[in-house]
Amino acid sequence: MKQLLSMLALFLACTGAAVAQSADKPLYTYASLANAKGEAVFHAICQGCHMPDAKGATGAGTYPALTGNPKLASPQYMAAVILFGRHDMPSFVMRHSDPGNFFEDATLTDAQIADVINYVRTHFGNHYTNNIAAAEVAAMHPQTITAKQP
Amino acid sequence: MQGEDSRLSMTRRDLLRLIGLSAGGAAMYAAMNRLGHAAESPYQGTPVLQGAPRGTTVLILGAGLAGMVAAYELRQAGYKVQVLEYNHRPGGRNWTLRGGDTYTELGGFTQHCRFDRGLYLNPGPWRIPYHHRGLLDYCKKLRIPLEPFVQINHNAYLHSAKAFGGKPQRFRAINADYRGHVAELLSKTTQQGKLDTQVTKEDQALLLDSLRRWGALDKNYAYVAGARASNRRGYDKEPGGGLSAKPTDSQPMQLHDVLRSHLWSGLNDGEGYEFQTTLLQPVGGMGRIGEAFGRQLEGLIRYNAKVTAIQQDEGGVTVSYEDARHPGAVHTAHADWCICTIPLSILAQIPMNVSTAMADAIGAVPYAASVKVGLQFKRRFWEEDEGIYGGITLTDLPINTIAYPSCDLNRPGKGVLLGAYLYGLDAYQFTAMNPDERVRRVVEYGSQIHSQYRQEFENGIAVAWHRAPFTLGCFATWSDELRAKHYENLCQIDGRIALAGEHASYLPAWQEGAVTSALDLITRIHQRVVAGGAA
């Protein structure tokens, strides 16, 4: 009986863990982030500041909305901001890890940057039809690396 | 800020770095200095500012530590001081969340802190290195009681989901076994004559003696199970009294297993200059410092003031602001001088007529993402069940850190621990969640290390710094390149305006950076005032 109970407890513990894990999408690691499509990148990173509805937010300063924002007319502008950062927004360009830094920077591939721009420009009430291609993003940073070193 | 190796990363470079540190670590200094880790506080005591012209006015923007240090000292020196602060409280990032507090982050997500009385989370700074003399001096002046902050706890864990079947290992065991095996290897190398060209025979004898002690080796310079090793790594059965007194030695792990676990990457956590014993914390929460400054400056600080423009001319500086709670009506404040401590993340958006060089500097520095999550448990199971009193567990799970409270040790009842402390990609991802999901995920991950989480968890609160309405980020992340190009321009007195704060220091993210930047700046402004006015 005791054995049966402990087996039952084990079973419950296992299913409990499985349920808890399946309820949450796994988080990206630095390695797996490269597999994220534009929509996933938006929800994993961009919405932290630009908000889940892309409407931005205002406190002592403002995070710009990514909806109804005339700057979105230029996907190249958006690519430049994502590649090189702007003001407090960090850069996401592929680069070697900085050995002096105590945390690793998150970076996005040119394809991911193009994809997240195209996602934003066709969602949240945006209806742009001129997509940007990964090659165009790549052309904006010829000096930097295109793949991260191990 | 975290130790430079606190994340259990997976690179060979870290191993080399660790050996470098153990061996002396001069080469580490340059890398550490890069973020200001090893830069010493230049604090020389509070500046004596004499001869301030009667009636000279200074407007200070921001009631964080930099702003309040400046206000405190300038008032003392005879200046007429006023302070504008966006929040409804003093302190800025010097901040403690306690039961009853409400916090609304950007996006309108509101959390009500439900901690029991006496329990708290420091969402921002949480430890004070002993050499941060400026901050420690103000703690003394303001009569803020301090207590030790435990950084390294040999009985806390190093954990990898991918090593030892996910079972957390005691810091003590990894530390002892790593050192023991490295000492044995180096002893063998020495005895085989392989160091003969580099080390004299006499020094080799000393080296061997030191390695035996350092690594707890036996008389044959071997790291093996026995009293010496157990005295470092712990016992299978602890020594006691009476008939059951005899201890049982524990079995060291193989070098291969220690290396493959990558847990050695967590051994450096207390080695960096900022993390060496002794670290301190204010009793009752880091926010006690800001609160005490706020009381000192009562009447001088206008709260809920959101700055919208900063304009200077020959006659002084005029700052426009509105009520942060009821925006619309514009108010103005005027002074001869303006000390602006507003984080660059926000200042870059505020119209201000300064030189192009300074404006470029203000707009150039990105702000780091960081997340902290505090969890309240029904009992202090980490102490009661696991003998962990303060200190830090490091893990390669996305929570990165579990930090056990250094206060109220061995007391019965509830406790709050730091369930996650995140930077980089994990911080981005947790910032992107709503606060409830952050707390839920942190409990889920943490229960892989402490199974008691499932039974004992009560409530939690999560602060993601990019969503903090008053900073829009954690701290200014300077690179060498940015510093070379912009730092001096940022720190100039531009006409009648000058900046202070952690962003204007070589101690980024540290409160000492804010304190020393303020003291440096008021000294320079005072010199200029006494010398006869504006630039």
Side-chain angles (χ1 to χ4, degrees), chain A residues 22-137:
Chain A
S22 66
D24 285 329
K25 275 187 266 177
L27 297 178
Y28 290 106
T29 63
Y30 285 95
S32 72
L33 179 63
N35 306 323
K37 299 285 181 217
E39 181 175 2
V41 168
F42 181 86
H43 293 303
I45 297 177
C46 312
Q47 75 174 32
C49 297
H50 296 284
M51 298 298 147
D53 59 5
K55 287 188 177 154
T58 294
T62 292
Y63 289 126
L66 301 179
T67 173
N69 182 339
K71 286 181 175 170
L72 267 61
S74 168
Q76 291 79 18
Y77 172 82
M78 293 174 74
V81 170
I82 298 169
L83 282 169
F84 309 121
R86 181 174 148 73
H87 293 167
D88 56 325
M89 175 168 160
S91 153
F92 289 90
V93 71
M94 277 284 171
R95 57 190 182 274
H96 298 293
S97 275
D98 185 339
N101 217 334
F102 71 91
F103 61 91
E104 193 177 342
D105 293 307
T107 60
L108 299 170
T109 66
D110 297 328
Q112 286 178 302
I113 291 172
D115 207 32
V116 74
I117 291 169
N118 294 334
Y119 171 75
V120 167
R121 294 175 82 247
T122 53
H123 291 78
F124 310 110
N126 302 314
H127 300 289
Y128 295 96
T129 52
N130 55 329
N131 278 0
I132 188 169
E136 276 182 84
V137 178

Side-chain angles (χ1 to χ4, degrees), chain B residues 39 43 126 299 532:
Chain B
Y43 182 68
W126 55 316

Side-chain angles (χ1 to χ4, degrees), chain B residues 324-348:
Chain B
R325 300 160 304 178
H326 315 286
V330 176
H331 310 271
T332 59
H334 183 87
D336 300 323
W337 299 85
C338 175
I339 292 177
C340 177
T341 71
I342 296 172
L344 304 181
S345 46
I346 291 157
L347 189 58

Side-chain angles (χ1 to χ4, degrees), chain B residues 124-140:
Chain B
W126 55 316
R127 50 196 163 186
I128 307 174
Y130 68 88
H131 49 83
H132 284 183
R133 309 289 305 172
L135 184 60
L136 288 171
D137 242 17
Y138 282 107
C139 289
K140 189 179 276 182

Side-chain angles (χ1 to χ4, degrees), chain B residues 38-62:
Chain B
E40 197 168 346
S41 163
Y43 182 68
Q44 303 284 334
T46 309
V48 180
L49 310 177
Q50 284 174 332
R54 259 178 89 91
T56 306
T57 53
V58 182
L59 178 57
I60 293 166
L61 307 181

Side-chain angles (χ1 to χ4, degrees), chain B residues 427-446:
Chain B
Y428 284 133
Q429 294 184 91
F430 273 84
T431 302
M433 300 169 194
N434 68 47
D436 286 347
E437 185 182 355
R438 289 177 205 143
V439 171
R440 187 169 52 72
R441 290 229 194 202
V442 166
V443 171
E444 190 57 43
Y445 282 119

